[in-house]
Amino acid sequence: MDTVMTLTYHGQDRESGREALEEGVAEVYELEDLLSVTAPDSEISALNEAGQAYLSPDTAQLLSAALELCALTGGALDITAYPAVEAWGFTTGEYRVPNQAELEELGDHIDYTRVSLDQESASLPDGMKLDLGAVAKGYTADRLAKLAQERDITSALLDLGQSTILALGAKPDGSPWRIGIQDPQGEGYLGVLELEGQAMGTSGGYQRYFERDGVRYWHIIDPATAAPARSGLLSVTVVSPSGLACDGLSTALFVMGLERGTQFWRDYPELEFEALFILEDGSLALTSGLKDSFTLAQGYEDREVEVLS
Ligand code: ADP
Ligand code: MG
């Protein structure tokens, strides 16, 4: 999954913690083999290459959940944005800025509604490719949490890298886990979120980007333009019991921006998520459910914070 993960389990004793860890690591590699769009023999690669492929139950389940999130977010999340991600060079590091005609052509082929999925196979029209990169780490976090719970682990911190983190229970001493929120314009942490039995995911333009002629281009694509999403945000963090929802919705809210994102939060209470937006001017906005769990870090106390309700 092209990142560094840190899994911490607290078991009844050292041995049970270690067994849970080993099982978790094996699960990560297994899911990566199925889901990775860059591994040539993953099920997703097979689907992209042939336009049709049989899927194992895990892949089918995640694809189905991802398509549901694409629909709920009105296509702000669109798993068929992958050819645009490739065209901008984010898959190889050979960055380029496609011209307008190319972007229009790419945009014509971004449309998750044209992915068809039945029980055990999926298909895609010619010229389209899909990628579960926006949701795979969150889904993996949920799977790891479930495995840990089956082992009666009640405290774990599953840090899947690039800001997808699931906190199982509280810390062993009973206090909440404290997670630093990266300052998108600096090196350090701008604030701290307290988590207990919840996941969080951050999507931001600062995570993977390149610069051309003084303009910054990042890896989160607006499906409407096939170009990097410019919605006035530097980052979005989503907190929810579901890792999958955190991962998918943080990407989607980054595309939507503050206004549409806030309306989406109001419209979908059943998704049980909260969000923290960091705006281009450095100010913050957070949904009311995070009011008591977020604090600004030292040196950032004078940042403006709006509470959304
Ligand atoms: P990261 O994986 O870096 O934590 P995200 O979860 O925000 O970040 O996912 C970004 C990845 O998802 C990109 O690398 C790209 O492959 C894919 N992607 C980019 N834009 C979209 C989008 N609008 N919808 C779905 N997937 C996207
Ligand atoms: Mg995501």
Side-chain angles (χ1 to χ4, degrees), residues 110-141:
I110 301 178
D111 183 359
Y112 71 90
T113 66
R114 296 169 71 192
V115 178
S116 72
L117 171 68
D118 60 39
Q119 293 298 357
E120 50 193 17
S121 73
S123 62
L124 275 173
D126 256 7
M128 287 179 60
K129 284 185 182 179
L130 68 78
D131 136 58
L132 298 171
V135 290
K137 288 198 291 284
Y139 174 74
T140 302

Side-chain angles (χ1 to χ4, degrees), residues 141-164:
D142 291 336
R143 289 286 298 261
L144 296 187
K146 187 157 176 285
L147 287 174
Q149 278 168 320
E150 285 166 7
R151 289 180 172 272
D152 295 327
I153 300 274
T154 53
S155 174
L157 191 68
L158 309 173
D159 178 350
L160 299 217
Q162 289 199 322
S163 318
T164 300

Side-chain angles (χ1 to χ4, degrees), residues 133-135 202-203 246-251:
V135 290
T202 299
S203 289
C246 288
D247 201 356
L249 293 180
S250 63
T251 306

